[in-house]
Amino acid sequence: MTFQDIERVLATLECPFCSTRNFDLKLRCDLGYEQCLPTVRCRQCGHEFDAERLIRSRGQGDRR
């Protein structure tokens, strides 16, 4: 998924902990991987998630 795809889908998701739809999307490049990991942080409760995993867990992933 592209960063833009993730932003679009995040607008339709709720935080699994507090049910708000208020996320910050960022790239984490400090984890020692060769690529950066797109992550989201809920602005309400502060939980941080792997963006693509959150989207897949909600059944909203790209189904190509």
Side-chain angles (χ1 to χ4, degrees), residues 34-49:
E34 292 198 17
Q35 297 180 356
C36 296
L37 176 69
T39 61
V40 292
R41 187 178 79 64
C42 177
R43 291 181 186 165
Q44 179 71 30
C45 69
H47 278 87
E48 193 165 311
F49 310 93

Side-chain angles (χ1 to χ4, degrees), residues 5-64:
D5 291 336
I6 294 169
E7 286 180 318
R8 180 181 44 79
V9 175
L10 278 179
T12 68
L13 297 181
E14 293 181 351
C15 174
F17 290 95
C18 68
S19 301
T20 62
R21 293 184 178 190
N22 197 1
F23 296 104
D24 285 324
L25 177 60
K26 64 181 180 176
L27 289 175
R28 294 230 16 226
C29 300
D30 61 340
L31 300 173
Y33 303 122
E34 292 198 17
Q35 297 180 356
C36 296
L37 176 69
T39 61
V40 292
R41 187 178 79 64
C42 177
R43 291 181 186 165
Q44 179 71 30
C45 69
H47 278 87
E48 193 165 311
F49 310 93
D50 172 321
E52 292 180 0
R53 182 174 283 175
L54 176 65
I55 290 168
R56 282 193 308 269
S57 74
R58 296 297 181 212
Q60 299 289 325
D62 187 2
R63 300 200 196 287
R64 283 188 237 172

